[in-house]
Amino acid sequence: MSTATAIAEYNPVEAGLEALRARYADVAFDLRSTKGNQEARAARKDLVTLRTSLDAKRKELKEPILERAKLIDSEAKRITAELLKLEKPIDDAIKADELRRERERKEREAAEAKRVARLQDSIQAITATALRAVGKHSTEIADEIEALQAFEIGADYDEFRAGAQAAKDSTLSQLYTLYGAALTNEQEAARLAMERAEFARQQAEAAALAEERAAALAEQQRVERERLEAERTEQARKDAQARAEQAEQDRIEREARAAQQGKEDAE
């Protein structure tokens, strides 16, 4: 078995290890006997001695390395500090520029979002015109049509220009439909209003005529009642006069009969 190691200084220890391995590997000591106990202790001492010699060699080999490592670290720290004196202003400037770029990017994004929202709101306002016109008078709808026709879809609409134009055309079409429907309804309402007014006039005329006829009939009935009353009064007068004349005639006849009877009685 080779006794060479990666650390040449450890080769003697490695050789000692090989010797001790040959001597003590798989050895069972009778620790109950004095001899066996002594042999076990001697074996442990050999191994401890070799191990401590290895540790001593390790420290011996490592000490100059540790010193150099400290020197390496301290020099690196010093040089790093000097480099940072040069690096930091440049790094600060770069970071400040990066912050500026990021701020400007966010400002551009905010401006873009605002622009898009403004254009979308404008398109929404165009389409809302038709909803706003529902139920309005035809003159108001005509005003909406005129205003929308005059509204220009400018170049500032950019990528939304086609959509805005489509919204304008569609809304105008709806407004024309609403205008026609409103005008038809208004004309029909006017016709019905005229018919109702004419019917009311005819009703009023009929009521006035009926009132006149009722008044004439009442007057006729009054005159008829007065005529009948006068006739009844005249008839009553005539009847009373006839009764009076009859009574006078009866009296005269009674007196005549009484006188005749008295004459006869006297004779």
Side-chain angles (χ1 to χ4, degrees):
M1 181 178 298
S2 174
T3 58
T5 70
I7 305 300
E9 290 84 352
Y10 288 165
N11 285 336
V13 180
E14 181 68 25
L17 173 60
E18 291 298 324
L20 293 175
R21 182 182 291 115
R23 186 184 303 173
Y24 298 124
D26 300 326
V27 174
F29 296 98
D30 183 7
L31 296 177
R32 294 182 180 183
S33 67
T34 301
K35 181 182 179 183
N37 192 286
Q38 290 176 346
E39 289 176 350
R41 290 177 182 275
R44 182 179 67 178
K45 182 179 180 181
D46 290 341
L47 292 169
V48 169
T49 299
L50 185 61
R51 177 170 58 78
T52 54
S53 67
L54 173 64
D55 191 57
K57 177 58 71 174
R58 178 186 66 79
K59 291 180 179 178
E60 178 187 348
L61 295 174
K62 189 176 179 181
E63 183 175 358
I65 297 174
L66 291 175
E67 288 298 324
R68 180 163 179 78
K70 290 179 182 179
L71 180 61
I72 290 171
D73 289 343
S74 64
E75 281 299 294
K77 186 180 296 185
R78 181 185 64 80
I79 296 171
T80 298
E82 294 300 321
L83 288 172
L84 285 174
K85 289 180 182 179
L86 300 173
E87 176 188 340
K88 191 175 185 304
I90 299 173
D91 182 62
D92 290 344
I94 291 173
K95 288 179 178 178
D97 185 68
E98 289 174 346
L99 289 175
R100 177 188 60 78
R101 290 173 185 272
E102 179 64 15
R103 183 177 65 255
E104 291 177 353
R105 183 187 65 81
K106 289 182 178 180
E107 290 174 352
R108 288 193 300 273
E109 289 179 353
E112 175 63 10
K114 186 176 181 180
R115 182 189 71 85
V116 170
R118 176 179 60 80
L119 295 177
Q120 290 177 340
D121 289 344
S122 177
I123 294 173
Q124 183 63 31
I126 292 173
T127 58
T129 305
L131 294 176
R132 190 171 61 248
V134 174
K136 286 188 175 181
H137 194 272
S138 61
T139 55
E140 294 178 285
I141 299 175
D143 291 340
E144 295 284 4
I145 291 173
E146 183 179 357
L148 186 55
Q149 285 176 334
F151 181 74
E152 292 292 337
I153 306 298
D156 59 326
Y157 274 83
D158 296 329
E159 71 274 22
F160 295 97
R161 189 171 185 179
Q165 187 62 50
K168 177 181 178 180
D169 295 341
S170 175
T171 302
L172 280 174
S173 177
Q174 295 177 55
L175 288 174
Y176 288 134
T177 301
L178 289 172
Y179 175 78
L183 192 61
T184 300
N185 291 337
E186 290 161 12
Q187 291 173 346
E188 180 63 15
R191 184 186 65 79
L192 292 175
M194 290 179 61
E195 289 182 355
R196 285 193 295 269
E198 179 62 20
F199 180 74
R201 185 189 65 77
Q202 293 175 359
Q203 289 289 94
E205 289 181 354
L209 182 60
E211 186 176 351
E212 290 177 1
R213 289 177 179 175
L217 180 60
E219 180 65 16
Q220 182 180 357
Q221 289 175 344
R222 184 187 66 76
V223 171
E224 183 64 17
R225 285 195 303 271
E226 290 178 353
R227 183 184 65 77
L228 293 175
E229 184 63 24
E231 289 179 355
R232 285 195 296 270
T233 301
E234 180 63 20
Q235 186 62 41
R237 185 188 64 75
K238 289 180 179 180
D239 291 344
Q241 184 178 0
R243 288 194 297 272
E245 290 176 353
Q246 184 64 42
E248 182 63 22
Q249 184 66 31
D250 291 344
R251 184 186 65 76
I252 293 173
E253 289 179 355
R254 285 196 304 273
E255 289 178 353
R257 286 195 300 272
Q260 182 65 30
Q261 185 65 42
K263 182 179 179 180
E264 291 177 356
D265 291 342
E267 291 178 352

mmCIF file with all atom_site columns, all heavy atoms in Angstrom, residues 84 88 102 137 202-203 261:
data_model
loop_
_atom_site.group_PDB
_atom_site.id
_atom_site.type_symbol
_atom_site.label_atom_id
_atom_site.label_alt_id
_atom_site.label_comp_id
_atom_site.label_asym_id
_atom_site.label_entity_id
_atom_site.label_seq_id
_atom_site.pdbx_PDB_ins_code
_atom_site.Cartn_x
_atom_site.Cartn_y
_atom_site.Cartn_z
_atom_site.occupancy
_atom_site.B_iso_or_equiv
_atom_site.pdbx_formal_charge
_atom_site.auth_seq_id
_atom_site.auth_comp_id
_atom_site.auth_asym_id
_atom_site.auth_atom_id
_atom_site.pdbx_PDB_model_num
ATOM 1  N N   . LEU A 1 84  ? -13.302  51.246 -3.794  1.00 0.00 ? 84  LEU A N   1
ATOM 2  C CA  . LEU A 1 84  ? -14.645  51.772 -3.528  1.00 0.00 ? 84  LEU A CA  1
ATOM 3  C C   . LEU A 1 84  ? -14.679  53.293 -3.591  1.00 0.00 ? 84  LEU A C   1
ATOM 4  O O   . LEU A 1 84  ? -15.699  53.887 -3.964  1.00 0.00 ? 84  LEU A O   1
ATOM 5  C CB  . LEU A 1 84  ? -15.144  51.296 -2.157  1.00 0.00 ? 84  LEU A CB  1
ATOM 6  C CG  . LEU A 1 84  ? -15.594  49.826 -2.103  1.00 0.00 ? 84  LEU A CG  1
ATOM 7  C CD1 . LEU A 1 84  ? -15.931  49.423 -0.672  1.00 0.00 ? 84  LEU A CD1 1
ATOM 8  C CD2 . LEU A 1 84  ? -16.796  49.591 -3.014  1.00 0.00 ? 84  LEU A CD2 1
ATOM 9  N N   . LYS A 1 88  ? -17.563  54.081 -5.904  1.00 0.00 ? 88  LYS A N   1
ATOM 10 C CA  . LYS A 1 88  ? -18.825  54.546 -5.328  1.00 0.00 ? 88  LYS A CA  1
ATOM 11 C C   . LYS A 1 88  ? -19.420  55.752 -6.059  1.00 0.00 ? 88  LYS A C   1
ATOM 12 O O   . LYS A 1 88  ? -20.634  55.758 -6.351  1.00 0.00 ? 88  LYS A O   1
ATOM 13 C CB  . LYS A 1 88  ? -18.637  54.872 -3.849  1.00 0.00 ? 88  LYS A CB  1
ATOM 14 C CG  . LYS A 1 88  ? -19.964  55.111 -3.107  1.00 0.00 ? 88  LYS A CG  1
ATOM 15 C CD  . LYS A 1 88  ? -19.731  55.306 -1.627  1.00 0.00 ? 88  LYS A CD  1
ATOM 16 C CE  . LYS A 1 88  ? -21.064  55.425 -0.904  1.00 0.00 ? 88  LYS A CE  1
ATOM 17 N NZ  . LYS A 1 88  ? -21.916  56.477 -1.433  1.00 0.00 ? 88  LYS A NZ  1
ATOM 18 N N   . GLU A 1 102 ? -36.077  54.803 -14.158 1.00 0.00 ? 102 GLU A N   1
ATOM 19 C CA  . GLU A 1 102 ? -37.243  54.109 -13.636 1.00 0.00 ? 102 GLU A CA  1
ATOM 20 C C   . GLU A 1 102 ? -38.382  55.084 -13.368 1.00 0.00 ? 102 GLU A C   1
ATOM 21 O O   . GLU A 1 102 ? -39.550  54.811 -13.680 1.00 0.00 ? 102 GLU A O   1
ATOM 22 C CB  . GLU A 1 102 ? -36.883  53.373 -12.331 1.00 0.00 ? 102 GLU A CB  1
ATOM 23 C CG  . GLU A 1 102 ? -38.042  52.625 -11.675 1.00 0.00 ? 102 GLU A CG  1
ATOM 24 C CD  . GLU A 1 102 ? -38.567  51.493 -12.523 1.00 0.00 ? 102 GLU A CD  1
ATOM 25 O OE1 . GLU A 1 102 ? -37.884  51.086 -13.493 1.00 0.00 ? 102 GLU A OE1 1
ATOM 26 O OE2 . GLU A 1 102 ? -39.678  50.994 -12.221 1.00 0.00 ? 102 GLU A OE2 1
ATOM 27 N N   . HIS A 1 137 ? -87.093  64.588 -26.661 1.00 0.00 ? 137 HIS A N   1
ATOM 28 C CA  . HIS A 1 137 ? -87.840  65.175 -27.766 1.00 0.00 ? 137 HIS A CA  1
ATOM 29 C C   . HIS A 1 137 ? -86.976  65.138 -29.025 1.00 0.00 ? 137 HIS A C   1
ATOM 30 O O   . HIS A 1 137 ? -85.737  65.137 -28.961 1.00 0.00 ? 137 HIS A O   1
ATOM 31 C CB  . HIS A 1 137 ? -88.224  66.608 -27.422 1.00 0.00 ? 137 HIS A CB  1
ATOM 32 C CG  . HIS A 1 137 ? -89.265  67.180 -28.332 1.00 0.00 ? 137 HIS A CG  1
ATOM 33 N ND1 . HIS A 1 137 ? -88.959  67.815 -29.506 1.00 0.00 ? 137 HIS A ND1 1
ATOM 34 C CD2 . HIS A 1 137 ? -90.621  67.187 -28.239 1.00 0.00 ? 137 HIS A CD2 1
ATOM 35 C CE1 . HIS A 1 137 ? -90.072  68.217 -30.096 1.00 0.00 ? 137 HIS A CE1 1
ATOM 36 N NE2 . HIS A 1 137 ? -91.100  67.849 -29.348 1.00 0.00 ? 137 HIS A NE2 1
ATOM 37 N N   . GLN A 1 202 ? -116.323 69.183 -30.082 1.00 0.00 ? 202 GLN A N   1
ATOM 38 C CA  . GLN A 1 202 ? -117.626 68.653 -30.475 1.00 0.00 ? 202 GLN A CA  1
ATOM 39 C C   . GLN A 1 202 ? -118.483 68.324 -29.251 1.00 0.00 ? 202 GLN A C   1
ATOM 40 O O   . GLN A 1 202 ? -119.696 68.582 -29.244 1.00 0.00 ? 202 GLN A O   1
ATOM 41 C CB  . GLN A 1 202 ? -117.431 67.403 -31.345 1.00 0.00 ? 202 GLN A CB  1
ATOM 42 C CG  . GLN A 1 202 ? -116.800 67.687 -32.706 1.00 0.00 ? 202 GLN A CG  1
ATOM 43 C CD  . GLN A 1 202 ? -116.523 66.415 -33.484 1.00 0.00 ? 202 GLN A CD  1
ATOM 44 O OE1 . GLN A 1 202 ? -116.781 65.313 -33.011 1.00 0.00 ? 202 GLN A OE1 1
ATOM 45 N NE2 . GLN A 1 202 ? -115.985 66.578 -34.696 1.00 0.00 ? 202 GLN A NE2 1
ATOM 46 N N   . GLN A 1 203 ? -117.827 67.761 -28.243 1.00 0.00 ? 203 GLN A N   1
ATOM 47 C CA  . GLN A 1 203 ? -118.554 67.456 -27.017 1.00 0.00 ? 203 GLN A CA  1
ATOM 48 C C   . GLN A 1 203 ? -119.080 68.726 -26.372 1.00 0.00 ? 203 GLN A C   1
ATOM 49 O O   . GLN A 1 203 ? -120.221 68.763 -25.884 1.00 0.00 ? 203 GLN A O   1
ATOM 50 C CB  . GLN A 1 203 ? -117.634 66.725 -26.027 1.00 0.00 ? 203 GLN A CB  1
ATOM 51 C CG  . GLN A 1 203 ? -117.287 65.300 -26.430 1.00 0.00 ? 203 GLN A CG  1
ATOM 52 C CD  . GLN A 1 203 ? -118.484 64.366 -26.298 1.00 0.00 ? 203 GLN A CD  1
ATOM 53 O OE1 . GLN A 1 203 ? -119.212 64.135 -27.275 1.00 0.00 ? 203 GLN A OE1 1
ATOM 54 N NE2 . GLN A 1 203 ? -118.703 63.855 -25.109 1.00 0.00 ? 203 GLN A NE2 1
ATOM 55 N N   . GLN A 1 261 ? -197.113 80.690 -6.913  1.00 0.00 ? 261 GLN A N   1
ATOM 56 C CA  . GLN A 1 261 ? -197.780 79.856 -5.901  1.00 0.00 ? 261 GLN A CA  1
ATOM 57 C C   . GLN A 1 261 ? -198.537 80.746 -4.939  1.00 0.00 ? 261 GLN A C   1
ATOM 58 O O   . GLN A 1 261 ? -199.670 80.427 -4.522  1.00 0.00 ? 261 GLN A O   1
ATOM 59 C CB  . GLN A 1 261 ? -196.705 79.042 -5.125  1.00 0.00 ? 261 GLN A CB  1
ATOM 60 C CG  . GLN A 1 261 ? -197.289 78.078 -4.159  1.00 0.00 ? 261 GLN A CG  1
ATOM 61 C CD  . GLN A 1 261 ? -198.092 76.981 -4.829  1.00 0.00 ? 261 GLN A CD  1
ATOM 62 O OE1 . GLN A 1 261 ? -197.685 76.451 -5.857  1.00 0.00 ? 261 GLN A OE1 1
ATOM 63 N NE2 . GLN A 1 261 ? -199.288 76.680 -4.307  1.00 0.00 ? 261 GLN A NE2 1
#
